[in-house]
Amino acid sequence: MIITLKDGSSKEYANGMTVLEIAKDLSEGLARVTLGAIVDGKVVEANTPLDKDCNLQILTFKDPEGRKIYRHTCAHVLAQAVKTVYPTVKLAIGPAIDDGFYYDFDFTTPITMEQLDKVEEEMKRIIKANYPLERFVLPRKEALKLMKGFDEPYKVELINDLPKDAEISFYRQGSFTDLCAGPHLPSTGMIKAFKLTSLTGAYWRGNEKNKMLSRIYGTCFDKKSDLTEYLAAVEEAKKRDHNKLGRELGIFMTDEKIGQGLPLLMPKGTKIYQTLTRFVEDEEERRGYVRTKTPYMAKSDLYKVSGHWDHYKDGMFVIGDEEKDDEVFALRPMTCPFQYTIYNNGLKSYRDLPIRYGETSTLFRNEASGEMHGLIRVRQFTISEGHIVCTPEQLEEEFKGCVDLIKYMLTCCGLQNDVTYRFSKWDPSDTKKYINEPDVWNKAEDTMRKILDHLGIEYTEAVGEAAFYGPKLDIQIKNVHGKEDTIITVQVDMFLAENFDMNYVDENGEKRRPYIIHRTSIGCYERTIALLIEKYAGAFPLWIAPTQVKVISLTDRNVESAKAIADKLYNYGIRTELDDRSETVGYKIRSAQLEKVPYMIVIGDKEAESGVVSVRRRGEGVIGEMSLDDFIARLRKEIAEKRLD
């Protein structure tokens, strides 16, 4: 058989040679790190025999597919260890994930993090035993009998839900057997370094109506040094986690009486929000946007026209009962139907287009309770929402303007190098999720792809991630824990102008349908604030910081002078706080440092008399003396330039 390798070279081998044997022929070093392979596009195990001509890519831990094999096997080692230490536990599922693996268990009694030490010790024993992972296949009846015999009800449910023609495979390692499609490592002894990292609750199959299970997370690497480096990064991430740090810094809070996904921005958080919204609104106005202010709710009639009622009702907060009430309302999940209604107030000419509507929009989405997370995923949030109504000929230039605005916003916030771009398309196989007009979808996606290519944007493509009315450019970002979310989006809509009967009169006096761009410029303010907390570990750039200067009185007799200086700074638009407590100056400086205030000035007798202030800068200490006017000029320049250092 002829084996074609990843570099394009080919080599002849005897039929039946395994992936590992071929790797060994190529290099002893390669064989030692081989975890599996991709054969003609399919991921297979290292001990898989090959019997025909094929394309072969050897997988190591450097490859995503190789890491998945490695980590999936570690999940099975975890399951075996838990089953050994806690024989009555029931097994659910245990996949590999981006940074490790997890397994869901149904314990008869609750388990704590402290008890995971026993599990880790058992995992080490299993790895040392170097059990081979042996795959076998059973008919459905025998597969069910096997899992019922092991008293594994979750596995029985999974088997029953498999398609009738599905191959039902298992893996055996030592005395432990698990239902699994694979692939896996040849043996448990290949795992070099692992660590169990957390214990959480998780609903069976992600459905909150099902039983809550215990999910044990872990990670593993092929080198102990990489594990050590990763765990250090995790500890740093915990320190930066906005859900912890944001509360400690008094930026936001939550309360059970108010409800999940409904955070309260405290004065500092509200000041950051206000700073960002003013920045966005002013910049959008400079770029030709006009502001709207629309209701937080509307009758179901509006959402039926837009299509939200058919495609998005489950994600909306509905007020009333369709069967009992004459009028049923819903809190708005987005602003587009309202701004389209404004557009339709009066006939438009091609000379009026483009019209760029902008609104600081508070929206409501009925997210599942298990999805809530700090400020990142909430049920009420505010976005920098906008809709551009334009002619087909203007579409590319307007889309380009949206991307330029987004890049400017990201750069000012320091997030420009932390994002990736995703072209989100519809899924033709799931037509219930979308407005089902394939020709329009194909036209919209082709148009958007050409625009993205003309702009030179590097992007990935994702089927099934489009809005129900059009394809999107999603700007993706990861939080400190590596979870990816969309921060900003730009959408091309060729449907809703038809739904709302939106028109303009072209240069020939004929009515035409406009194109619409849905977009945000800085995205959801709550999510952006969360990401900024994590990006800067709470030490915000001066222009964003809720308190920019802390004025500290040295003694009680300096309070009036300190207050006068604080008032002058405040009157120049610099967010200033006065610390005139009867505490030592060292204590007050440390307090300001813990609050991560960018600048401090201490006012004593000398400063009060001379008008010269001694300036301390966050992270640098004392940077020198200067006149108060020079200090104010310095700050105003730094704020105007939106400096990030």
Side-chain angles (χ1 to χ4, degrees):
M1 60 181 177
I2 304 299
I3 303 298
T4 303
L5 302 174
K6 185 181 178 181
D7 63 2
S9 63
S10 299
K11 201 168 183 180
E12 187 172 355
Y13 290 99
N15 283 5
M17 285 188 70
T18 67
V19 168
L20 190 57
E21 288 170 337
I22 292 173
K24 190 172 183 179
D25 175 73
L26 295 171
S27 161
E28 288 283 352
L30 178 61
R32 284 194 294 271
V33 296
T34 294
L35 305 178
I38 299 176
V39 178
D40 288 339
K42 181 182 178 182
V43 179
V44 302
E45 294 167 347
N47 53 14
T48 302
L50 306 181
D51 56 8
K52 63 178 181 179
D53 296 354
C54 63
N55 293 307
L56 173 68
Q57 178 188 344
I58 304 291
L59 296 175
T60 70
F61 198 82
K62 293 179 180 178
D63 302 295
E65 300 88 348
R67 290 194 294 274
K68 187 175 181 180
I69 293 171
Y70 192 96
R71 288 167 171 167
H72 193 184
T73 301
C74 208
H76 275 233
V77 172
L78 167 61
Q80 181 179 1
V82 169
K83 196 72 175 175
T84 301
V85 177
Y86 302 95
T88 59
V89 76
K90 308 303 178 192
L91 304 176
I93 58 170
I97 54 178
D98 285 347
D99 58 353
F101 58 92
Y102 69 79
Y103 212 108
D104 290 345
F105 301 95
D106 188 355
F107 287 94
T108 54
T109 56
I111 187 174
T112 64
M113 276 297 294
E114 290 71 25
Q115 292 170 289
L116 293 187
D117 290 343
K118 293 180 182 178
V119 176
E120 283 193 346
E121 288 303 313
E122 181 60 23
M123 289 178 70
K124 291 175 184 176
R125 187 196 66 76
I126 293 167
I127 291 168
K128 187 175 181 180
N130 197 23
Y131 295 125
L133 278 90
E134 303 166 328
R135 184 179 188 271
F136 62 94
V137 176
L138 291 177
R140 184 179 297 267
K141 187 175 180 180
E142 292 182 32
L144 288 169
K145 182 180 178 182
L146 179 66
M147 289 294 101
K148 287 176 181 177
F150 286 149
D151 192 19
E152 295 291 359
Y154 298 102
K155 302 295 183 181
V156 170
E157 182 179 329
L158 290 171
I159 293 171
N160 282 328
D161 287 348
L162 289 171
K164 290 183 179 180
D165 59 349
E167 182 180 70
I168 304 174
S169 60
F170 298 84
Y171 280 81
R172 183 187 297 115
Q173 56 198 56
S175 60
F176 175 74
T177 299
D178 200 358
L179 171 73
C180 186
H184 282 286
L185 299 176
S187 69
T188 61
M190 294 182 69
I191 297 169
K192 303 301 180 187
F194 77 93
K195 180 67 180 175
L196 299 183
T197 55
S198 64
L199 173 66
T200 65
Y203 292 109
W204 168 234
R205 291 186 149 182
N207 187 334
E208 60 187 6
K209 295 180 181 179
N210 291 335
K211 186 172 183 179
M212 176 71 78
L213 306 178
S214 296
R215 175 171 293 178
I216 299 175
Y217 282 95
T219 191
C220 53
F221 291 85
D222 63 341
K223 296 176 184 175
K224 288 185 178 180
S225 59
D226 288 346
L227 174 63
T228 301
E229 184 178 327
Y230 171 82
L231 293 176
V234 168
E235 287 305 308
E236 177 63 23
K238 288 179 182 177
K239 295 176 187 176
R240 290 175 174 263
D241 186 339
H242 87 277
N243 212 6
K244 175 177 179 290
L245 188 56
R247 297 171 195 270
E248 292 174 353
L249 293 173
I251 293 171
F252 78 99
M253 62 172 285
T254 53
D255 189 284
E256 290 183 1
K257 294 186 289 297
I258 293 173
Q260 278 189 306
L262 299 170
L264 295 92
L265 289 183
M266 298 168 76
K268 289 182 180 179
T270 304
K271 181 53 67 176
I272 297 171
Y273 166 85
Q274 183 187 58
T275 299
L276 292 174
T277 54
R278 286 176 174 174
F279 164 56
V280 170
E281 290 176 357
D282 288 347
E283 183 61 28
E284 287 183 344
E285 190 168 333
R286 193 179 69 80
R287 295 180 184 232
Y289 284 80
V290 292
R291 311 302 299 174
T292 64
K293 185 74 175 70
T294 55
Y296 285 3
M297 67 175 75
K299 290 163 56 177
S300 59
D301 305 47
L302 182 72
Y303 304 118
K304 288 174 182 176
V305 173
S306 67
H308 289 93
W309 204 252
D310 291 333
H311 297 281
Y312 206 81
K313 185 180 174 184
D314 290 344
M316 297 166 67
F317 288 101
V318 177
I319 305 169
D321 188 323
E322 287 185 274
E323 295 181 2
K324 298 178 181 178
D325 301 324
D326 292 335
E327 290 185 333
V328 175
F329 288 79
L331 299 178
R332 63 182 184 186
M334 56 274 294
T335 309
C336 39
F338 300 87
Q339 291 190 334
Y340 299 164
T341 304
I342 290 174
Y343 176 87
N344 278 341
N345 183 30
L347 188 63
K348 303 295 187 295
S349 161
Y350 72 96
R351 297 181 187 276
D352 298 317
L353 304 186
I355 296 177
R356 306 181 187 104
Y357 293 117
E359 183 165 335
T360 301
S361 305
T362 299
L363 306 178
F364 306 86
R365 306 224 175 137
N366 192 9
E367 301 278 7
S369 59
E371 295 294 317
M372 301 300 104
H373 177 61
L375 296 176
I376 293 242
R377 193 166 292 277
V378 292
R379 286 175 169 154
Q380 176 184 307
F381 56 94
T382 304
I383 68 171
S384 55
E385 192 166 17
H387 298 88
I388 300 173
V389 186
C390 62
T391 69
E393 296 77 16
Q394 294 167 335
L395 181 67
E396 182 165 346
E397 192 63 26
E398 290 303 310
F399 194 100
K400 180 180 178 181
C402 292
V403 173
D404 183 71
L405 174 60
I406 288 165
K407 288 184 174 181
Y408 175 70
M409 295 289 174
L410 290 171
T411 299
C412 289
C413 292
L415 299 173
Q416 72 277 14
N417 296 323
D418 301 329
V419 301
T420 56
Y421 296 86
R422 185 181 74 187
F423 176 23
S424 296
K425 306 187 295 183
W426 83 312
D427 183 355
S429 67
D430 188 8
T431 54
K432 290 182 180 179
K433 188 178 173 183
Y434 306 96
I435 296 174
N436 187 21
E437 294 187 29
D439 291 343
V440 180
W441 273 102
N442 292 335
K443 181 180 179 182
E445 290 185 355
D446 288 346
T447 300
M448 189 164 175
R449 183 180 287 104
K450 287 176 183 176
I451 292 172
L452 295 177
D453 291 342
H454 287 169
L455 293 176
I457 294 173
E458 293 185 14
Y459 59 87
T460 58
E461 297 191 14
V463 174
E465 294 295 334
F468 73 83
Y469 48 75
K472 302 186 293 176
L473 172 65
D474 287 327
I475 290 85
Q476 304 294 107
I477 193 167
K478 291 182 179 180
N479 67 12
V480 288
H481 300 294
K483 184 181 184 304
E484 185 174 273
D485 282 297
T486 301
I487 183 174
I488 299 170
T489 185
V490 187
Q491 305 164 10
V492 172
D493 175 7
M494 295 185 177
F495 289 105
L496 295 191
E498 181 76 27
N499 291 16
F500 280 87
D501 193 26
M502 297 168 68
N503 298 289
Y504 69 93
V505 177
D506 69 11
E507 55 268 36
N508 298 316
E510 297 179 0
K511 283 188 176 182
R512 295 182 64 188
R513 296 287 186 210
Y515 281 1
I516 303 168
I517 299 174
H518 304 237
R519 45 103 283 177
T520 58
S521 52
I522 203 171
C524 163
Y525 287 102
E526 288 83 357
R527 183 172 291 179
T528 299
I529 290 171
L531 293 165
L532 290 172
I533 293 170
E534 296 184 348
K535 170 78 175 181
Y536 297 106
F540 301 104
L542 181 66
W543 79 272
I544 297 173
T547 302
Q548 295 169 322
V549 179
K550 185 82 80 167
V551 178
I552 297 170
S553 59
L554 185 61
T555 66
D556 289 345
R557 66 176 175 272
N558 306 126
V559 169
E560 288 305 314
S561 298
K563 184 179 185 305
I565 289 172
D567 288 344
K568 184 171 182 178
L569 287 164
Y570 188 82
N571 289 335
Y572 271 95
I574 295 164
R575 297 188 286 274
T576 307
E577 287 185 8
L578 171 65
D579 189 345
D580 58 357
R581 294 174 295 171
S582 296
E583 301 284 356
T584 66
V585 68
Y587 179 87
K588 290 193 275 191
I589 288 172
R590 284 192 296 274
S591 294
Q593 289 171 335
L594 289 173
E595 292 175 31
K596 303 180 186 288
V597 178
Y599 284 97
M600 289 171 270
I601 54 176
V602 178
I603 306 302
D605 293 338
K606 175 186 171 184
E607 290 77 15
E609 293 171 3
S610 67
V612 172
V613 293
S614 177
V615 180
R616 300 179 67 95
R617 193 165 190 261
R618 183 180 59 205
E620 296 181 33
V622 177
I623 60 171
E625 293 184 343
M626 62 187 77
S627 70
L628 182 58
D629 288 342
D630 286 346
F631 179 54
I632 290 171
R634 173 190 176 121
L635 294 185
R636 295 187 72 187
K637 184 174 187 292
E638 189 174 331
I639 292 166
E641 293 175 351
K642 296 189 168 48
R643 284 177 48 186
L644 301 174
D645 56 354

